Coordinates of all heavy atoms in Angstrom, one line a residue:
Y17 N -14.4 -2.1 28.8 CA -13.3 -1.1 28.7 C -12.0 -1.8 29.3 O -10.8 -1.6 28.8 CB -13.5 0.1 29.5 CG -12.3 1.2 29.4 CD1 -12.3 1.9 28.2 CD2 -11.5 1.3 30.3 CE1 -11.3 2.8 28.0 CE2 -10.5 2.2 30.1 CZ -10.3 3.0 29.1 OH -9.3 3.9 28.9
D18 N -12.0 -2.7 30.3 CA -10.9 -3.2 30.9 C -10.5 -4.7 30.3 O -9.8 -5.4 30.9 CB -11.1 -3.5 32.4 CG -12.2 -4.2 32.8 OD1 -13.0 -4.7 31.9 OD2 -12.5 -4.5 34.0
A19 N -11.2 -5.0 29.1 CA -10.8 -6.2 28.6 C -9.4 -6.3 28.1 O -8.7 -5.2 27.7 CB -11.6 -6.5 27.2
P20 N -8.7 -7.4 28.3 CA -7.2 -7.4 28.0 C -6.8 -7.2 26.6 O -5.7 -6.7 26.3 CB -6.8 -8.8 28.5 CG -8.1 -9.6 28.5 CD -9.2 -8.7 28.8
H21 N -7.6 -7.7 25.7 CA -7.2 -7.5 24.2 C -8.0 -6.3 23.7 O -9.1 -6.1 24.1 CB -7.7 -8.7 23.4 CG -6.8 -9.9 23.6 ND1 -5.5 -9.9 23.4 CD2 -7.0 -11.1 24.1 CE1 -4.9 -11.2 23.6 NE2 -5.9 -12.0 24.1
T22 N -7.3 -5.6 22.7 CA -7.9 -4.4 22.2 C -7.9 -4.4 20.7 O -6.8 -4.6 20.1 CB -7.1 -3.1 22.7 OG1 -7.2 -3.1 24.1 CG2 -7.7 -1.9 22.2
L23 N -9.0 -4.2 20.0 CA -9.1 -4.1 18.5 C -9.4 -2.6 18.4 O -10.4 -2.1 18.6 CB -10.2 -5.0 18.0 CG -10.3 -5.1 16.6 CD1 -9.2 -6.0 16.0 CD2 -11.7 -5.8 16.2
E24 N -8.5 -1.9 17.7 CA -8.7 -0.6 17.3 C -9.0 -0.4 15.8 O -8.2 -1.0 15.0 CB -7.5 0.4 17.6 CG -7.2 0.3 19.2 CD -5.9 1.0 19.5 OE1 -5.9 2.3 19.3 OE2 -4.9 0.5 19.7
V25 N -10.1 0.3 15.5 CA -10.5 0.3 14.1 C -10.5 1.8 13.7 O -11.4 2.6 14.2 CB -11.8 -0.4 13.8 CG1 -12.1 -0.4 12.3 CG2 -11.9 -1.8 14.4
F26 N -9.7 2.1 12.7 CA -9.6 3.6 12.3 C -10.5 3.7 11.0 O -10.3 3.1 10.0 CB -8.2 3.9 11.8 CG -7.1 4.0 13.0 CD1 -6.7 2.9 13.7 CD2 -6.7 5.3 13.6 CE1 -5.9 2.9 14.7 CE2 -5.9 5.3 14.7 CZ -5.5 4.1 15.2
L27 N -11.5 4.5 11.2 CA -12.6 4.6 10.2 C -12.9 6.1 9.9 O -12.7 7.0 10.7 CB -13.9 3.9 10.9 CG -13.9 2.5 11.3 CD1 -15.2 2.2 11.9 CD2 -13.6 1.6 10.1
D28 N -13.1 6.3 8.6 CA -13.6 7.6 8.1 C -15.0 7.5 7.7 O -15.4 6.6 6.9 CB -12.7 8.1 7.0 CG -13.0 9.5 6.4 OD1 -13.7 10.2 7.1 OD2 -12.8 9.7 5.2
Y29 N -15.8 8.4 8.2 CA -17.3 8.4 7.9 C -17.5 8.5 6.4 O -18.6 8.1 5.9 CB -18.0 9.5 8.6 CG -18.2 9.2 10.1 CD1 -17.6 10.1 11.0 CD2 -18.8 8.1 10.5 CE1 -17.8 9.8 12.5 CE2 -19.0 7.8 12.0 CZ -18.4 8.7 12.8 OH -18.6 8.5 14.3
V30 N -16.7 9.1 5.6 CA -17.0 9.2 4.2 C -16.2 8.3 3.3 O -16.0 8.5 2.2 CB -16.9 10.7 3.7 CG1 -18.0 11.6 4.2 CG2 -15.5 11.3 4.2
C31 N -15.7 7.1 3.9 CA -14.9 6.2 3.2 C -15.8 5.0 3.0 O -16.3 4.4 4.0 CB -13.7 5.8 4.0 SG -12.9 4.2 3.5
P32 N -16.1 4.6 1.8 CA -17.0 3.3 1.5 C -16.5 2.1 2.1 O -17.3 1.3 2.6 CB -16.9 3.2 0.0 CG -16.7 4.7 -0.5 CD -15.7 5.2 0.5
F33 N -15.2 2.0 2.2 CA -14.6 0.7 2.8 C -14.8 0.8 4.3 O -15.0 -0.3 4.9 CB -13.1 0.6 2.5 CG -12.9 0.4 1.0 CD1 -12.4 1.5 0.2 CD2 -13.2 -0.8 0.3 CE1 -12.2 1.4 -1.2 CE2 -13.0 -1.0 -1.0 CZ -12.6 0.2 -1.8
S34 N -14.7 1.9 4.9 CA -15.0 2.0 6.3 C -16.5 1.7 6.6 O -16.8 1.0 7.6 CB -14.7 3.4 6.8 OG -13.3 3.7 6.8
A35 N -17.4 2.1 5.7 CA -18.8 1.8 5.9 C -18.9 0.3 5.8 O -19.8 -0.4 6.6 CB -19.6 2.5 4.8
K36 N -18.2 -0.3 5.0 CA -18.4 -1.8 4.7 C -18.0 -2.6 6.0 O -18.8 -3.5 6.4 CB -17.6 -2.1 3.5 CG -17.8 -3.6 3.1 CD -17.1 -4.0 1.8 CE -17.3 -5.3 1.3 NZ -16.5 -5.6 0.0
I37 N -16.9 -2.2 6.5 CA -16.4 -3.0 7.7 C -17.2 -2.6 8.9 O -17.3 -3.5 9.8 CB -14.8 -2.6 8.0 CG1 -14.3 -3.8 8.9 CG2 -14.7 -1.3 8.7 CD1 -12.7 -3.6 9.0
S38 N -17.8 -1.5 9.0 CA -18.7 -1.2 10.1 C -19.9 -2.3 10.1 O -20.3 -2.4 11.3 CB -19.3 0.3 10.0 OG -20.2 0.3 9.0
L39 N -20.2 -2.7 9.0 CA -21.5 -3.7 9.0 C -21.0 -5.0 9.7 O -21.8 -5.6 10.5 CB -21.9 -4.0 7.6 CG -22.5 -2.7 6.9 CD1 -22.9 -3.1 5.4 CD2 -23.8 -2.1 7.6
A40 N -19.7 -5.4 9.4 CA -19.2 -6.6 10.1 C -18.9 -6.3 11.6 O -19.2 -7.2 12.3 CB -17.9 -7.0 9.4
I41 N -18.5 -5.1 11.9 CA -18.3 -4.9 13.3 C -19.7 -5.0 14.1 O -19.8 -5.6 15.2 CB -17.8 -3.5 13.5 CG1 -16.4 -3.3 13.0 CG2 -17.9 -3.0 15.0 CD1 -15.9 -1.9 12.9
D42 N -20.8 -4.5 13.4 CA -22.1 -4.6 14.1 C -22.6 -6.0 14.1 O -23.1 -6.4 15.2 CB -23.0 -3.6 13.4 CG -24.3 -3.3 14.1 OD1 -24.1 -2.8 15.3 OD2 -25.3 -3.6 13.6
S43 N -22.6 -6.7 13.1 CA -23.3 -7.9 13.0 C -22.4 -9.2 13.5 O -23.0 -10.1 13.9 CB -23.7 -8.2 11.4 OG -22.5 -8.4 10.7
V44 N -21.1 -9.0 13.3 CA -20.2 -10.2 13.8 C -19.5 -9.9 15.0 O -19.6 -10.7 16.0 CB -19.2 -10.5 12.6 CG1 -18.3 -11.6 13.1 CG2 -19.9 -10.7 11.4

Side-chain angles (χ1 to χ4, degrees):
Y17 185 78
D18 59 354
H21 288 296
T22 303
L23 187 73
E24 298 174 73
V25 189
F26 291 75
L27 303 172
D28 178 24
Y29 286 121
V30 288
C31 165
F33 297 104
S34 293
K36 190 174 182 180
I37 202 172
S38 73
L39 298 177
I41 292 171
D42 194 57
S43 64
V44 178

